[in-house]
Amino acid sequence: MAFSPLLQQLITSLRCLPGVGPKTAQRMALHLLERDRDSARQLAAAMLDAVERVGECSRCRTLSEEPVCEICADESRDHSIICVLESPVDLMVIEQTGGFQGVYFVLKGHLSPIDGVGPDDLGISQLIDRVEQGGVSELILATNPTVEGEATAHYIAAQLNHCDVRISRIAHGVPVGGELEYVDGGTLAHAMAGRRSLRSES
Ligand code: ZN
């Protein structure tokens, strides 16, 4: 059966979502049109609002509709400890553990020469500038424990060799080859507590 052009357009559009194949997209589209048009309108409006108004925080690069996000603007947090992450989802996961009082820097990816992702795409010079300006005592490199995540952490550590800042890497707790997004809060809190230095301590 062929769908009408607008319905087909909706189905095709829904497939941009991760994990949504042709069957799921059809089911979603029919559900929205047949059973829940109010929710469909809300979804469309929320999506448009978010796409047009959510940008990135000028300090930590996480998603934010303000120039400086809530966490970076919070004076009660410890701005001398910066946790470096691959994605805004990782930030949310760590925030949900409630165990971290420092601030963040979101790379939005990892170094991947094969995909043409270099240090400039990850804002690494912005991070280095911030450390060089002073006031940062520790950088926690919480990139994913994958080959690319490790390489990114080591690259950042190497760029900061000249700076007097403690550099640590989250350690045990997070499974090797895993992604932070899929780790439960308790495991992640343990990994944060057991972070290790990437430098030989003098
Ligand atoms: Zn921020």
Side-chain angles (χ1 to χ4, degrees):
M1 183 189 107
F3 294 112
S4 72
L6 287 179
L7 184 50
Q8 188 56 52
Q9 179 180 295
L10 177 59
I11 292 168
T12 307
S13 301
L14 284 166
R15 291 196 58 195
C16 75
L17 294 167
V20 176
K23 285 264 181 320
T24 307
Q26 279 178 26
R27 215 163 36 236
M28 285 174 163
L30 293 174
H31 173 84
L32 290 171
L33 290 175
E34 287 183 344
R35 305 214 184 142
D36 210 351
R37 289 196 181 216
D38 285 345
S39 296
R41 276 192 196 93
Q42 270 174 30
L43 177 64
M47 228 183 269
L48 204 57
D49 267 358
V51 166
E52 283 178 355
R53 294 179 44 211
V54 177
E56 75 175 32
C57 170
S58 60
R59 300 199 66 193
C60 72
R61 291 170 44 102
T62 198
L63 296 172
S64 169
E65 53 238 61
E66 305 297 335
V68 174
C69 77
E70 215 171 283
I71 294 171
C72 289
D74 185 348
E75 289 302 320
S76 71
R77 297 188 73 116
D78 186 349
H79 289 253
S80 73
I81 303 179
I82 302 177
C83 179
V84 181
L85 300 164
E86 287 189 26
S87 100
V89 176
D90 300 337
L91 185 156
M92 286 176 212
V93 174
I94 293 183
E95 277 300 288
Q96 280 158 13
T97 71
F100 181 64
Q101 284 307 307
V103 293
Y104 300 94
F105 189 87
V106 182
L107 300 168
K108 293 192 179 163
H110 49 235
L111 291 176
S112 179
I114 227 166
D115 300 313
V117 181
D120 290 345
D121 303 299
L122 305 178
I124 290 177
S125 58
Q126 187 186 336
L127 175 64
I128 308 291
D129 284 351
R130 191 158 146 196
V131 175
E132 283 175 342
Q133 280 163 18
V136 177
S137 63
E138 181 174 3
L139 216 59
I140 303 170
L141 299 175
T143 49
N144 288 321
T146 56
V147 174
E148 296 86 357
E150 291 289 348
T152 307
H154 282 275
Y155 177 84
I156 294 170
Q159 299 304 303
L160 289 166
N161 263 337
H162 62 291
C163 292
D164 181 23
V165 58
R166 186 176 143 84
I167 298 179
S168 52
R169 175 92 178 99
I170 53 165
H172 45 271
V174 180
V176 172
E179 293 186 1
L180 292 189
E181 190 181 338
Y182 302 109
V183 175
D184 68 273
T187 307
L188 198 53
H190 188 64
M192 290 291 280
R195 65 185 181 267
R196 65 187 160 81
S197 176
L198 272 187
R199 274 180 172 173
S200 46
E201 305 282 336
S202 53

